[in-house]
Amino acid sequence: MMKRKKLEGFLTPPPTTMTYDSRELHDLDEHLIEESLTADQFDRLKEILKSDQAALEAHVDYLFNHAALSLVAEEDAKQVADTQLVEAIASLEQAVAMPCVYRLEKKPKRLGRLLMVPAVAVFLCLSATLAALSLTGFFRGPAEFVTIAETTNCLWNDSSVITSPGTRIGACVLNLEKGIALLRFDNGVLVSLEGPCVFEIKNNKYTILHSGGLVATVETKEGNGFVVDTPHAAIKDFGTKFGVQTSQKKQTSVFVIEGNVEVAPKDALDAIPLEKGQSIAIEAPGDIQAVESEPVSSSQIEAVQFSSASGQGNEAWVVNKSHTIETALTQFPGGVTDAYMLVKLSKEEDAKSDRKALFRIDLDSFDRKDDILGATIHLAYGPTGIGYATYISDATFTIYGLIEETGDMWQETNLDWEQLPGNDKRNEMLPTHWKPLGNFTIRRGNPSGAIQIKSDALCQFIRNDTNNLLSFAIVCDTPAEETFGLVFGFANRNHGTLSPPRLNITLKRKTERTAQ
């Protein structure tokens, strides 16, 4: 048992400068002791204690005085009480990260015999206050609230923390040069970083994507309100899954895979709500100025969106030679073929299992090609269950646009490898029929996600169209390393959770165009 110390030291705090309202603090402490403190009163008490060291010391001193008056006179009870008070002060100092300098070394006067409640009340009173304040966020939160759950082919560059799998991290900057890193926040938010990217964690609800891409998934109610800020817009989540791509100098694009988000452009007053399958691209005025003769801000932009599931839109995939769906499902009985457009480039000796995807967008009566500022193709991909990811490295794809418009009316039901308009061997397409519009990469070990393809070539392809039907092909350029390499799947209209191909076109507002 610790040698008994008298209580006078606990009742005599060092002198401090008082800047708070002592009467208000006294009233709040009275309500706290009587367990009649309202939620608003508790918020006010927390505010006072956080902002004023003198108020904190007076508050603790008041509780000590109250607890001391509750002591029984027996020496054993006082000894227990004194010991617990010393331990309670040590806990308080550690919790608030500041010294509560009470003079324990003085020789006190005897307090006399006070017959009320057991001495344990001292410890319980202080402990209750510490627990209540801790639960409401008064004390500093945990320094580490994120786990680096998985890393795949990651190369980190000048990150401010250790980045090995299983590491616990807090506020920091992560500079991922290449690879995929999965971060798991304690509040149920998952963030998949796709290198190269620079990602800053401020707290468990606010992050900044300085450059690069990520996919965020909010799995719990505690994670609702999660924000990804970027140079051009802030994206606020409401329980969903969404992808973000940003470049400090160019644009930020957002694609909602599930649920809904709000996108707040930096130069606009109102946030833009987006739902599942919707997307938007917020561009820097400088980049838009390169397309138009005058600068255009986000508030002067409007967007239209088209889907392969609307009008005469369609999706299909073709396979080389004799390899059939039935053969694939016999080898991989858990495979999914009806919800995806399948794409693969096999080893040369296994060319019979090469696959290419095709989809068509119906622009309907769209007649504003001269107003186009930008265009983005959005694709969602997921696991097909066919083949093994072990046998494929990071895979690069090319997306083509059909410039031979007589081939736009292909039909999914009778389309095969030989009848695909302008098809060529393996991963090639005839340049007389197809124009390459862009490339993208799916990282190894990343089974699902969102792809966005944006280029000047895509904008020009749309402007040059004459029949308002746009056909696109997806071709893999990275061959599998072994037989039974992974078959990639891009969602079509039959998928239950992922969206089919979409085309987002940003336009200069009609009012601005007619005013010139």
Side-chain angles (χ1 to χ4, degrees):
M1 177 92 50
M2 173 184 232
K3 184 177 179 182
R4 180 165 60 90
K5 294 182 181 291
K6 304 299 183 178
L7 288 174
E8 185 186 65
F10 290 110
L11 305 179
T12 312
T16 52
T17 302
M18 187 175 67
T19 61
Y20 60 94
D21 186 335
S22 59
R23 182 178 297 275
E24 179 186 15
L25 179 60
H26 178 272
D27 291 341
L28 293 172
D29 282 340
E30 283 289 325
H31 284 294
L32 176 65
I33 291 172
E34 295 171 3
E35 298 183 357
S36 61
L37 199 66
T38 67
D40 289 341
Q41 287 173 327
F42 192 85
D43 288 341
R44 176 55 182 158
L45 176 59
K46 182 176 66 174
E47 180 183 352
I48 293 173
L49 299 183
K50 287 180 68 174
S51 61
D52 197 308
Q53 167 71 15
L56 175 63
E57 293 174 353
H59 168 74
V60 175
D61 183 54
Y62 183 85
L63 295 183
F64 285 164
N65 275 282
H66 173 77
L69 293 174
S70 301
L71 289 176
V72 295
E74 283 76 12
E75 290 295 319
D76 289 344
K78 291 179 69 178
Q79 187 170 356
V80 172
D82 291 348
T83 300
Q84 290 174 332
L85 279 170
V86 173
E87 294 173 350
I89 282 192
S91 298
L92 178 65
E93 289 184 347
Q94 183 178 10
V96 298
M98 61 179 67
C100 296
V101 189
Y102 287 84
R103 299 187 181 93
L104 302 179
E105 73 282 358
K106 286 189 176 180
K107 223 176 198 182
K109 298 177 181 178
R110 300 275 303 179
L111 284 176
R113 294 174 177 269
L114 302 173
L115 300 174
M116 295 184 71
V117 297
V120 176
V122 181
F123 182 67
L124 294 180
C125 183
L126 181 57
S127 297
T129 305
L130 294 175
L133 291 174
S134 178
L135 288 174
T136 56
F138 171 63
F139 298 140
R140 294 183 303 171
E144 298 167 347
F145 49 88
V146 181
T147 301
I148 300 180
E150 298 176 14
T151 59
T152 304
N153 290 335
C154 287
L155 177 61
W156 303 92
N157 183 18
D158 295 332
S159 294
S160 60
V161 294
I162 298 174
T163 51
S164 56
T167 301
R168 295 279 292 167
I169 60 176
C172 65
V173 176
L174 296 174
N175 190 341
L176 180 61
E177 188 168 323
K178 70 175 184 178
I180 300 169
L182 179 64
L183 309 181
R184 186 180 299 275
F185 286 67
D186 290 348
N187 60 356
V189 177
L190 297 178
V191 175
S192 179
L193 303 179
E194 301 182 4
C197 75
V198 178
F199 182 65
E200 183 174 359
I201 301 172
K202 291 291 190 180
N203 55 50
N204 64 352
K205 284 290 187 76
Y206 179 70
T207 62
I208 303 173
L209 180 63
H210 294 280
S211 62
L214 62 78
V215 175
T217 304
V218 177
E219 298 183 328
T220 64
K221 291 182 179 179
E222 290 77 9
N224 285 358
F226 184 75
V227 173
V228 177
D229 203 353
T230 74
H232 313 100
I235 302 94
K236 185 176 183 179
D237 166 88
F238 295 97
T240 183
K241 178 185 290 188
F242 63 95
V244 184
Q245 289 279 347
T246 190
S247 169
Q248 287 185 339
K249 295 182 178 180
K250 294 184 178 180
Q251 69 159 7
T252 291
S253 54
V254 183
F255 177 65
V256 182
I257 303 171
E258 297 175 8
N260 55 84
V261 304
E262 280 186 353
V263 179
K266 294 297 177 68
D267 58 352
L269 296 178
D270 298 326
I272 302 168
L274 296 181
E275 298 179 351
K276 175 182 176 180
Q278 293 183 326
S279 60
I280 194 170
I282 307 297
E283 300 196 33
D287 270 18
I288 298 172
Q289 186 174 4
V291 179
E292 294 290 317
S293 57
E294 296 181 10
V296 182
S297 69
S298 299
S299 61
Q300 295 173 299
I301 295 174
E302 59 181 307
V304 292
Q305 214 172 72
F306 304 92
S307 167
S308 62
S310 302
Q312 297 186 72
N314 209 343
E315 310 102 0
W317 59 274
V318 296
V319 61
N320 192 4
K321 298 183 180 179
S322 61
H323 206 73
T324 64
I325 294 177
E326 290 74 17
T327 304
L329 293 182
T330 298
Q331 296 166 337
F332 298 91
V336 180
T337 60
D338 58 345
Y340 292 108
M341 301 174 286
L342 303 183
V343 180
K344 180 183 180 182
L345 182 61
S346 307
K347 291 180 65 176
E348 187 170 356
E349 55 268 32
D350 192 33
K352 64 181 182 181
S353 61
D354 290 347
R355 295 169 174 84
K356 296 178 181 179
L358 191 68
F359 65 93
R360 181 171 61 228
I361 299 289
D362 183 359
L363 297 182
D364 193 23
S365 57
F366 180 72
D367 61 353
R368 298 180 57 191
K369 294 184 174 68
D370 291 340
D371 291 337
I372 293 176
L373 297 175
T376 308
I377 294 173
H378 299 272
L379 302 172
Y381 66 92
T384 63
I386 304 175
Y388 299 102
T390 301
Y391 298 140
I392 188 75
S393 58
D394 293 351
T396 300
F397 299 78
T398 300
I399 188 162
Y400 295 86
L402 184 62
I403 56 178
E404 179 52 64
E405 294 185 351
T406 56
D408 276 326
M409 290 307 298
W410 51 268
Q411 297 299 318
E412 176 191 7
T413 53
N414 57 13
L415 191 67
D416 58 27
W417 187 269
E418 285 73 26
Q419 293 177 346
L420 175 63
N423 193 15
D424 204 350
K425 58 185 179 180
R426 303 305 309 277
N427 64 318
E428 298 177 16
M429 304 296 285
L430 293 176
T432 55
H433 288 66
W434 295 92
K435 177 181 180 180
L437 303 177
N439 303 95
F440 61 91
T441 299
I442 296 180
R443 304 294 182 184
R444 184 180 187 182
N446 196 22
S448 60
I451 297 296
Q452 301 177 19
I453 303 97
K454 177 181 174 64
S455 67
D456 293 338
L458 174 59
C459 292
Q460 196 58 47
F461 173 67
I462 299 171
R463 294 189 187 104
N464 292 340
D465 173 74
T466 61
N467 64 1
N468 274 7
L469 292 176
L470 303 176
S471 293
F472 300 91
I474 308 172
V475 178
C476 182
D477 298 314
T478 305
E481 298 168 356
E482 297 291 344
T483 302
F484 297 129
L486 181 67
V487 175
F488 295 90
F490 297 90
N492 62 24
R493 70 186 70 194
N494 299 321
H495 201 288
T497 57
L498 300 181
S499 299
R502 293 178 179 269
L503 174 65
N504 184 77
I505 302 176
T506 54
L507 306 163
K508 191 171 183 180
R509 285 195 184 277
K510 209 165 189 176
T511 54
E512 298 294 331
R513 179 173 59 90
T514 55
Q516 291 183 357

